[in-house]
Amino acid sequence: MKHRLWYPTCGMVWATVLLASGSVSAGEERQLFNVVLFVIDDLGQRDLGCYGSTFYRTPHIDRLAREGIRFTDFYAVCPVCSPTRVSILTGQYPQRWNITDWIPGRKDQPDQRLQRPSIRTELPLEAVTIAEVLKRRGYVTAHIGKWHLGGKGFGPKEQGFDINVAGDETGTPRSYFAPFRNKGGVMPGLEEAPEGEYLTDRLAAEAVRFISAHKDRPFFLYLPHYAVHTPLRAPAERIRRYPNQPRPGTQSNPVYAAMVESMDDAVGQVLTALAEHRLADKTVVLFTSDNGGLATREGGPTGATYNGPLRAGKGFLYEGGVRVPLIIRWPGRGKPGTTCAEVACSNDLFDTILDAAGGRQPPDPPTDGRSLLPLLDGKPLSERAIYWHYPHYANQGSRPGGAIRRGRYKLVEDYETGRHELYDLSRDLSEEKNLATEQPDLVRQLASELEKWRQQVDARMPRPNPQYRPHPPDANGTITLPARTALIHGQQWRFEPLPHQESLGHWVQTGDSASWDFTAIQPGRFRLELVYGCHSNAAGASVEVSLDSWRQQHTLQATAGTHDYQPHVVGELKVDQPGRHTLTLKLVRPPSRPLVELRSIVLRPVKDGGR
């Protein structure tokens, strides 16, 4: 049962309110603002023109940035959707509510070394949301878009929203085109729709209707679009505006571009409605996304988008997976068109919105965030750390881990091996140089702080998987060890998850090594192949492959390019007994340039007679 909190009754209109506590000093008058919060699904920070994209068309959001403040170092507290949405609505780390993956999450599989901790499949009713707080202050509240925090009995209306359009338990739209239904049901509030209507357009129209109907009282409009989440679908006439020449490692997917443009148009319609009803000066507008852009094969052969120079994307704890846009347009506060480089995260939106609604008033619920309003006025906030805990195997190819950012430094921890990576983001935005061996004291300090935080929020850790059965042979007896499952033991080797790579890259450090477990059904001899791409400038480097007492060195040979993956025979080895074995690859002599990528290692059975 939800805790009932007492709030002073007030017939609030757009006047001013006297605050007895909160971020505003006692007696100071504060205007009560409407709040519009856009949360876009899977939008990468670099998918917007105001953040550097030259391919996607986002004129309305770019204008919002010119009229407001754009944050450069803003983070989602999870690289996937549901947990970040918990943090936005409650102001708390989602680990406190044991929602650490998208709901219901990816099921455990035999090739996982670790077993995921179980998670809640809904935001519990005792959680106090920003909608509930604002509703008790006299606001009318609307949820229009994606919910994905629980089904029947745990929807938006049970969590403080007067109106719900399209929000249910699903993480993807039942359909991007009307009728908005599938075998599982129909999207709430969209039962009637003209054939072929596009969902993003419809949600914008619903938002405009809400603004028009409630223009004379304070309102909170939460607009979490389903776009630009897969499946990639957009109106044909918008897709035709972009060249149909997608290239890996670039922003070039025409369907995704059309989705981004449609989303931008939808934002523009809401901003226009505010202006037409003379509400722009009475409304705080916030724009963000729930995690980084989808850059892996899940988004198609070339990925949905490309997040460079940020590393990786959705599902990963690297910058491409968690650094997201934030734009705030707050009438009368801050210099329009400026940027803010202060580190902040999605937990902070709760307290920021509270300030737009009069500031904190006891007994407002405690949060893990803080208001960003002082930053709009150019006043720095005290330094603090931001934490991540993702104890799951993501659909995008990442593995369980945690991270902490304090100041310029970010530490990433691999839960499978305990390996740490340390990056100086002020000098290395792409997270290319792991400083862990150079600054061991800082690694220990940040790792200790991360562990203490996990205990404070009761973060659940993964455990060894009793059903672990790695890389069994296929029907022909061949065993394939892909780069994505390698355990990395060195400092600079890294898994490159983009679709045209999916490889072990960054060959710069002598002694870097990786290992793979595999399952042999029976003893036998195998021909070992390394499948890699090697630029001519990198040929001549050497690696050592080992299995038990067997060792063999291999000199890398040039292929047609770094991404031209070709098999190269290293030699034959013998597996003496069935069961689990571990194969290790070690870099003996690095190439002169790191233009090598290993896609996989293949063990092919050798039949009698050596064939």
Side-chain angles (χ1 to χ4, degrees):
M1 182 176 180
K2 188 179 294 293
H3 298 318
R4 296 299 175 186
L5 302 181
W6 179 86
Y7 288 87
T9 58
C10 50
M12 292 184 179
V13 294
W14 292 304
T16 55
V17 57
L18 296 180
L19 303 181
S21 61
S23 60
V24 182
S25 60
E28 182 181 346
E29 291 188 345
R30 169 72 64 78
Q31 182 177 0
L32 211 61
F33 289 97
N34 302 313
V35 178
V36 174
L37 172 60
F38 295 98
V39 177
I40 311 304
D41 201 350
D42 287 2
L43 181 75
Q45 188 195 63
R46 302 307 168 108
D47 289 344
L48 303 173
C50 56
Y51 281 94
S53 177
T54 58
F55 183 69
Y56 304 126
R57 301 172 185 173
T58 57
H60 302 293
I61 299 169
D62 297 345
R63 176 168 61 88
L64 183 68
R66 291 193 299 271
E67 296 170 348
I69 310 296
R70 179 172 62 87
F71 286 69
T72 61
D73 290 48
F74 186 77
Y75 291 95
V77 299
C78 188
V80 296
C81 54
S82 298
T84 299
R85 294 167 191 274
V86 170
S87 73
I88 291 171
L89 289 173
T90 69
Q92 297 177 320
Y93 279 109
Q95 289 75 21
R96 295 189 185 277
W97 301 106
N98 193 30
I99 300 177
T100 52
D101 202 3
W102 57 274
I103 295 174
R106 181 178 181 267
K107 294 182 179 180
D108 287 324
Q109 299 178 13
D111 62 351
Q112 298 175 189
R113 291 178 178 84
L114 301 176
Q115 195 173 55
R116 69 166 187 160
S118 61
I119 65 171
R120 272 178 165 161
T121 57
E122 67 281 319
L123 180 63
L125 298 183
E126 59 264 28
V128 179
T129 70
I130 186 64
E132 291 177 292
V133 175
L134 297 186
K135 184 175 180 178
R136 291 164 183 162
R137 296 187 183 188
Y139 279 68
V140 60
T141 58
H143 172 280
I144 301 177
K146 173 175 171 175
W147 180 245
H148 201 193
L149 292 176
K152 186 176 181 180
F154 295 92
K157 288 191 174 181
E158 286 78 26
Q159 293 286 12
F161 289 98
D162 298 307
I163 297 168
N164 172 40
V165 176
D168 57 20
E169 72 277 12
T170 58
T172 57
R174 297 186 186 276
S175 174
Y176 265 116
F177 292 94
F180 300 114
R181 64 179 70 237
N182 61 14
K183 294 180 180 179
V186 61
M187 300 174 79
L190 301 181
E191 293 82 2
E192 301 295 330
E195 187 74 23
E197 183 180 34
Y198 189 50
L199 178 61
T200 306
D201 297 340
R202 175 63 179 274
L203 296 182
E206 294 286 344
V208 169
R209 273 193 288 272
F210 170 79
I211 292 171
S212 178
H214 301 282
K215 62 182 182 295
D216 296 323
R217 59 179 294 192
F219 62 76
F220 172 49
L221 172 57
Y222 177 43
L223 192 52
H225 274 282
Y226 281 92
V228 288
H229 196 289
T230 55
L232 301 187
R233 301 284 189 273
E237 66 273 13
R238 290 175 181 163
I239 297 174
R240 287 194 291 267
R241 298 172 187 171
Y242 298 88
N244 190 18
Q245 298 174 337
R247 302 182 310 280
T250 65
Q251 293 182 344
S252 55
N253 187 315
V255 183
Y256 186 82
M259 296 181 75
V260 171
E261 181 179 340
S262 299
M263 176 274 298
D264 180 77
D265 286 344
V267 171
Q269 291 180 49
V270 173
L271 298 179
T272 297
L274 293 175
E276 290 178 345
H277 291 293
R278 299 182 180 180
L279 298 176
D281 291 338
K282 302 174 182 178
T283 305
V284 171
V285 178
L286 305 97
F287 177 96
T288 190
S289 65
D290 60 350
N291 49 252
L294 180 61
T296 55
R297 193 175 295 275
E298 188 183 31
T302 61
T305 191
Y306 175 66
N307 298 305
L310 306 181
R311 180 176 173 183
K314 176 183 179 179
F316 290 82
L317 292 172
Y318 300 114
E319 293 295 283
V322 293
R323 186 183 288 229
V324 296
L326 175 65
I327 300 169
I328 301 178
R329 188 181 75 181
W330 192 306
R333 307 304 285 260
K335 183 179 179 182
T338 59
T339 60
C340 178
E342 293 277 348
V343 177
C345 70
S346 49
N347 290 335
D348 299 325
L349 298 183
F350 190 108
D351 281 83
T352 305
I353 292 171
L354 278 188
D355 263 353
R360 276 200 167 272
Q361 301 173 19
D364 284 347
T367 67
D368 294 311
R370 57 189 181 181
S371 174
L372 303 179
L373 179 57
L375 298 178
L376 303 187
D377 296 330
K379 300 175 183 177
L381 298 174
S382 59
E383 183 181 278
R384 53 148 184 192
I386 291 176
Y387 308 91
W388 292 267
H389 171 68
Y390 188 57
H392 306 280
Y393 292 83
N395 291 336
Q396 297 76 34
S398 70
R399 301 204 291 261
I404 174 176
R405 177 170 179 183
R406 177 175 287 283
R408 58 198 265 200
Y409 290 102
K410 178 180 173 186
L411 183 82
V412 181
E413 178 179 341
D414 183 334
Y415 289 165
E416 286 187 331
T417 64
R419 177 176 179 259
H420 291 108
E421 301 169 58
L422 177 68
Y423 299 102
D424 180 350
L425 295 178
S426 67
R427 299 180 178 180
D428 183 17
L429 184 62
S430 300
E431 297 169 292
E432 292 187 342
K433 183 174 177 56
N434 181 8
L435 303 173
T437 57
E438 298 178 20
Q439 301 192 53
D441 291 341
L442 182 57
V443 169
R444 284 191 290 270
Q445 173 190 330
L446 292 176
S448 175
E449 189 172 349
L450 178 59
E451 171 59 23
K452 290 178 181 177
W453 169 80
R454 283 195 293 256
Q455 294 176 6
Q456 290 171 0
V457 298
D458 195 24
R460 301 186 182 184
M461 296 293 288
R463 297 180 178 181
N465 180 11
Q467 307 300 321
Y468 179 46
R469 189 171 181 265
H471 304 116
D474 64 15
N476 298 318
T478 300
I479 297 171
T480 302
L481 310 177
R484 65 175 176 80
T485 62
L487 289 184
I488 298 173
H489 306 288
Q491 288 303 303
Q492 303 302 339
W493 262 359
R494 52 194 268 181
F495 172 58
E496 307 284 7
L498 303 189
H500 64 296
Q501 295 175 297
E502 295 179 331
S503 59
L504 194 65
H506 219 56
W507 296 46
V508 296
Q509 182 71 47
T510 301
D512 273 6
S513 66
S515 63
W516 290 260
D517 293 341
F518 67 90
T519 303
I521 303 301
Q522 58 187 12
R525 289 189 301 138
F526 293 85
R527 183 177 69 249
L528 187 144
E529 300 174 355
L530 300 180
V531 182
Y532 60 80
C534 179
H535 192 278
S536 58
N537 291 335
S542 63
V543 295
E544 179 187 83
V545 189
S546 60
L547 176 66
D548 299 328
S549 61
W550 180 88
R551 279 174 170 72
Q552 183 73 46
Q553 285 204 6
H554 172 75
T555 301
L556 299 183
Q557 304 169 31
T559 65
T562 307
H563 302 144
D564 177 40
Y565 302 104
Q566 299 294 331
H568 301 267
V569 177
V570 174
E572 289 190 7
L573 58 83
K574 185 177 181 181
V575 175
D576 293 325
Q577 57 185 3
R580 189 184 305 169
H581 299 266
T582 301
L583 183 144
T584 300
L585 179 71
K586 182 179 180 180
L587 183 57
V588 176
R589 185 171 66 250
S592 57
R593 297 180 62 187
L595 301 175
V596 183
E597 292 183 5
L598 177 82
R599 173 63 69 87
S600 63
I601 299 177
V602 180
L603 302 176
R604 299 190 186 279
V606 177
K607 299 179 182 180
D608 292 341
R611 293 175 296 175

